[in-house]
Amino acid sequence: MSTESYWATKADEVMDALLTRIPENKLRPRLEPTRRAVELLGDPQKSYRVIHVTGTNGKTTTTRIIERILRELGLRTGRFTSPHLVRLNERMAIDGEPVGDQQLAEVWADIEPILAMVDAELEAAGDTKLTFFEALAVLGFAVFADAPVDVLVLEVGMGGEWDSTNVADGDVAVFTPISIDHAERLGSTIAEIAKTKSGIIKPGAIVVSSAQVPEAMQVLEAKTAEVAERIAVYGRDFEVLDVEPDIAGQRFSVKTLTSDYRDLFLPLHGEYQAENAALAISAVEAFFGVNNRLFDDVLRVALADSTSPGRLQVVSRSPLTILDAAHNPGGAESLARAMKNTFGAPKTVAVISILNDKDARGLLEALNQTAETFVVTQSTSPRAIETHELEKLATEIFGVTRVKSASTPHRALELAKELTAEGGAIVVTGSITLVGDVLKNIQLKADDEEE
């Protein structure tokens, strides 16, 4: 076995060990176990500065753009996002690259005894051991301290207040649009969800927020007034001035906390991505101090090099094939707008798999006007709705003639290609795991062709 294969195997073993724990979607509303673990490790999350990002949709893209700007400014960066599309390493990036297999495995070996100690303490107290995400967050903090990084751009796993990432104190708290998602854990109203997410606002922090519905904004402003330094809000303190989509992405201008930046290029599709970029730029300005304008050339290079896999990602032009990890009605509505405004509303076949804890009906209904045909399937996630159940729901909404089914994502994509008219498009959406399955198949096919 080569050295590379050895460490790849060891990294896969880390994922296997995490999977023995309470699953990622079963987050516990508790913070103390994570805090106990990082304290025993010497609080690695305090060894670098932090920009903390929460919200409902757009978190990962905003996190990635913030990190890319910081890196172009010469800082050594960490980026923590979730979930991953293909491999666990994607969640922890150092200077823009997924953590290496060897570093991941070695840091895991270092922290595993501490995790076992905390597990034992929890079980002795009649509680459950560290969950998948609690252990993952501890691993991430340790990886970034080991690197070491200057600043970590940290995306929450779910919510904010009791999310395991919240043992870190962000200099800047960033909020993407807040809507209903994970209602069973975060709350059934926007205000309740906003309250949970506002937990990332720490004393002395600067808050930077997308435009929010009034009930969410009231919560954020109240928490800011209570503990933070100030709040900057999209539409009042910064905004996109104009957007011009093109085949490679979009050109746009923004007004930010310090000044205007004109004719910027972002190789991401969807007008909302320009708003994510405006939020990211303003978050970086807040991090450095709102009187510090970013260098134009630095910003232009960083934005032009920004990526967001699985978010309106074009993987083929013949036929036009788009991967989008929309997994709630809000994300599906953004996808629908992008298909109309950015891609010219082509005749579309949608390949869809949805997880069983999501609002499947709301997601499908949001795409009603976007796709002519729906090919339902089941991703490799154990939480995916079974194909026949999703087919039944889709048929109820769209009628039998608009719905097809396929047993696997690969077969669903092949069927979609057969159904796509000339000049039409394929959209793969509904769950992050489905997008990951399709990306994995594309990578395997590319590897086979190289051989």
Side-chain angles (χ1 to χ4, degrees), residues 18 21-39 41 43-46 48 50 52-54 80 82 91 115 118 122 128-142 144 152 154-170 186 196-197 199-200 202:
L18 288 168
R21 297 176 175 273
I22 294 173
E24 190 166 11
N25 65 310
K26 302 293 184 184
L27 293 180
R28 294 285 307 280
R30 63 183 191 179
L31 200 54
E32 286 309 314
T34 308
R35 184 173 284 123
R36 172 66 172 155
V38 293
E39 284 175 351
L41 286 168
D43 283 321
Q45 81 284 3
K46 294 183 179 179
Y48 34 76
V50 173
H52 210 167
V53 183
T54 191
F80 184 89
S82 59
R91 301 189 187 214
L115 299 181
V118 177
L122 288 167
T128 56
K129 66 180 185 178
L130 291 163
T131 67
F132 176 106
F133 193 78
E134 288 169 338
L136 178 71
V138 176
L139 173 61
F141 289 134
F144 297 123
L152 169 62
L154 179 64
E155 178 190 343
V156 303
M158 185 187 296
E161 182 179 13
W162 41 260
D163 185 79
S164 294
T165 64
N166 207 31
V167 297
D169 295 329
L186 302 183
T196 302
K197 293 182 184 293
I200 72 165
K202 299 298 177 63

Side-chain angles (χ1 to χ4, degrees), residues 5-115:
S5 297
Y6 172 79
W7 287 115
T9 300
K10 299 301 287 185
D12 288 340
E13 289 173 2
V14 175
M15 183 62 175
D16 292 340
L18 288 168
L19 287 173
T20 66
R21 297 176 175 273
I22 294 173
E24 190 166 11
N25 65 310
K26 302 293 184 184
L27 293 180
R28 294 285 307 280
R30 63 183 191 179
L31 200 54
E32 286 309 314
T34 308
R35 184 173 284 123
R36 172 66 172 155
V38 293
E39 284 175 351
L40 290 172
L41 286 168
D43 283 321
Q45 81 284 3
K46 294 183 179 179
S47 63
Y48 34 76
R49 295 181 69 188
V50 173
I51 297 177
H52 210 167
V53 183
T54 191
T56 303
N57 291 307
K59 297 189 298 295
T60 299
T61 300
T62 302
T63 297
R64 292 178 69 94
I65 297 174
I66 291 171
E67 184 277 331
R68 186 61 189 88
I69 298 171
L70 292 171
R71 183 160 29 106
E72 195 63 28
L73 286 164
L75 294 175
R76 184 160 169 79
T77 59
R79 184 185 72 222
F80 184 89
T81 56
S82 59
H84 60 277
L85 292 173
V86 179
R87 294 197 76 210
L88 180 71
N89 308 53
E90 299 167 26
R91 301 189 187 214
M92 293 160 273
I94 298 168
D95 281 340
E97 294 296 325
V99 62
D101 289 335
Q102 181 174 351
Q103 185 180 7
L104 182 70
E106 288 181 341
V107 173
W108 175 258
D110 289 341
I111 72 167
E112 205 168 13
I114 299 298
L115 299 181

